[in-house]
Amino acid sequence: MDCVLIEALEVDTVIGVYDWERDILQRLVLDLELATDIRPAAADDDIAKTLDYAAISERIAAFAGEHAFALVETFAERLAETLRADFGIARLSLTVRKPGAVGNARAVGVRITRGEQP
């Protein structure tokens, strides 16, 4: 199985467990690996036969703007569910980083993999 990659996608969202975090937008940085077979798209040079990373990136930005979660874990889980349902993605790996959340770290976050192994 091949992968469509989206790396270092930045989105702003309401995220955090502290009261002050509920009133501001914070940046998250996402990396995605989306399992797909690229051969049909490559054979015909047809974007309709692959995962459209521009459309997926737009959906992620919309999701971030529509939701507010306390935990990065919840953001990741719900986003994975949404992307799999909206785009028919059989398997994905998603890393969500929250830069600056811990003073001595560049970022903290989670990495999840959802779906069946093709």
Side-chain angles (χ1 to χ4, degrees):
M1 189 58 57
D2 307 310
C3 282
V4 169
L5 303 175
I6 301 173
E7 296 181 342
L9 179 67
E10 297 181 355
V11 296
D12 294 323
T13 192
V14 175
I15 188 93
V17 297
Y18 300 111
D19 288 341
W20 63 268
E21 291 180 295
R22 309 307 295 160
D23 294 326
I24 63 170
L25 292 175
Q26 296 187 74
R27 176 130 319 155
L28 297 177
V29 181
L30 287 66
D31 294 325
L32 296 97
E33 294 182 11
L34 311 168
T36 192
D37 183 353
I38 68 164
R39 290 175 291 187
D44 296 335
D45 201 26
D46 186 352
I47 194 168
K49 295 181 180 177
T50 191
L51 295 174
D52 182 341
Y53 49 78
I56 293 168
S57 297
E58 289 173 9
R59 180 65 184 105
I60 293 168
F63 177 91
E66 295 164 357
H67 295 89
F69 299 111
L71 301 177
V72 171
E73 291 85 344
T74 307
F75 180 95
E77 189 66 36
R78 301 280 164 64
L79 178 58
E81 292 169 357
T82 298
L83 293 177
R84 291 188 66 221
D86 289 0
F87 294 95
I89 300 167
R91 182 177 175 86
L92 66 78
S93 292
L94 169 63
T95 302
V96 179
R97 293 181 181 86
K98 186 177 178 184
V102 173
N104 293 335
R106 180 180 301 152
V108 299
V110 298
R111 179 175 295 128
I112 65 172
T113 301
R114 297 294 178 266
E116 299 301 318
Q117 185 77 308

